Amino acid sequence: KQEVTQIPAALSVPEGENLVLNCSFTDSAIYNLQWFRQDPGKGLTSLLLIQSSQREQTSGRLNASLDKSSGRSTLYIAASQPGDSATYLCAVRLSDRGSTLGRLYFGRGTQLTVWP
Amino acid sequence: EPEVTQTPSHQVTQMGQEVILRCVPISNHLYFYWYRQILGQKVEFLVSFYNNEISEKSEIFDDQFSVERPDGSNFTLKIRSTKLEDSAMYFCASIARRTNYGYTFGSGTRLTVV
């Protein structure tokens, strides 16, 4: 069974700092990995999707890397802003089903607070 | 940007009552999912649905749960006899080849069983 762990559980930083959020997973046979943002009481907004053959993806101030062999992914947020305050979730899909239908396994998330 | 739409956003129900949670996946998406998140817990997989049948379900998805795509656009989750522990946020999601099979989630239905 796939276990996904995210560190730290919570992070509080002043505006402008560069941040690193960590995600680790136990089974390296993944199909892809996706980072989501969740605002309190809201849905999941996809931030970045990394296929198993890729090393990193970038979108604006966000950069996600993937090291499949070591079971790790990192989400890097540059020049953080108060609007970045949210919970960031990492989720992986295994490749063992040989299809695109596999479930996502989620971490508990990192709760980020960026203060002005 | 296409969206997955869920209704209602919040539902309160008496224990033992049946509830139906509704979702409209993104047009032309073919794979559909339900997940749930109990307050303070991880997001958990419930069921996946493709070609009008369940393709995978978790141990949570027991006989009290069912899914249906009644009219080619809506995708519903039914809980036959709700329990207090069914209180959670329920998320619908869909995926498609053209988005590299990345998930798009709806905004969720908060179910409160009293």
Side-chain angles (χ1 to χ4, degrees):
Chain A
K1 185 187 171 189
Q2 178 74 275
E3 293 289 339
V4 179
T5 303
Q6 292 187 244
I7 295 173
L11 189 58
S12 181
V13 299
E15 182 176 9
E17 283 209 358
N18 299 322
L19 308 173
V20 175
L21 309 183
N22 297 292
C23 172
S24 62
F25 44 94
T26 54
D27 188 338
S28 62
I30 66 169
Y31 183 84
N32 59 28
L33 182 147
Q34 202 163 354
W35 282 92
F36 295 91
R37 169 184 172 139
Q38 184 176 31
D39 292 286
K42 303 296 184 183
L44 308 176
T45 301
S46 179
L47 298 173
L48 290 164
L49 171 69
I50 309 178
Q51 303 300 331
S52 61
S53 58
Q54 297 175 321
R55 297 284 296 184
E56 66 177 345
Q57 283 286 331
T58 298
S59 176
R61 294 183 293 108
L62 304 179
N63 175 278
S65 66
L66 174 64
D67 184 343
K68 198 173 74 162
S69 60
S70 67
R72 295 178 190 275
S73 177
T74 297
L75 179 66
Y76 177 81
I77 304 176
S80 58
Q81 302 170 358
D84 295 331
S85 298
T87 296
Y88 290 80
L89 301 174
C90 168
V92 300
R93 179 186 304 161
L94 293 177
S95 60
D96 58 349
R97 286 179 56 82
S99 75
T100 56
L101 302 183
R103 68 174 73 178
L104 287 179
Y105 293 86
F106 281 84
R108 285 186 176 275
T110 294
Q111 186 174 357
L112 173 65
T113 303
V114 182
W115 37 278
Chain B
E1 178 106 16
E3 291 185 342
V4 174
T5 304
Q6 289 188 243
T7 56
S9 57
H10 191 189
Q11 182 155 357
V12 181
T13 189
Q14 296 274 346
M15 189 169 56
Q17 294 297 304
E18 174 184 285
V19 295
I20 297 176
L21 310 183
R22 304 183 190 278
C23 169
V24 179
I26 294 174
S27 177
N28 296 325
H29 280 200
L30 299 178
Y31 309 90
F32 313 115
Y33 304 80
W34 284 99
Y35 285 77
R36 80 173 185 187
Q37 185 179 32
I38 295 171
L39 189 64
Q41 303 296 315
K42 289 186 178 184
V43 177
E44 304 172 288
F45 169 78
L46 292 178
V47 66
S48 59
F49 191 86
Y50 170 70
N51 203 23
N52 286 320
E53 61 182 22
I54 291 173
S55 56
E56 186 183 4
K57 58 184 180 180
S58 72
E59 55 279 3
I60 302 169
F61 195 88
D62 60 22
D63 291 344
Q64 292 300 310
F65 291 88
S66 63
V67 289
E68 193 177 39
R69 194 147 191 258
D71 58 12
S73 60
N74 291 286
F75 179 49
T76 62
L77 174 69
K78 181 192 290 186
I79 309 175
R80 289 190 182 80
S81 178
T82 50
K83 303 187 282 285
L84 294 176
E85 53 265 38
D86 293 327
S87 295
M89 192 77 146
Y90 287 81
F91 295 109
C92 174
S94 64
I95 66 173
R97 181 192 298 271
R98 67 176 183 273
T99 57
N100 286 323
Y101 299 109
Y103 272 69
T104 300
F105 280 85
S107 55
T109 293
R110 178 164 298 285
L111 177 65
T112 303
V113 183
V114 297

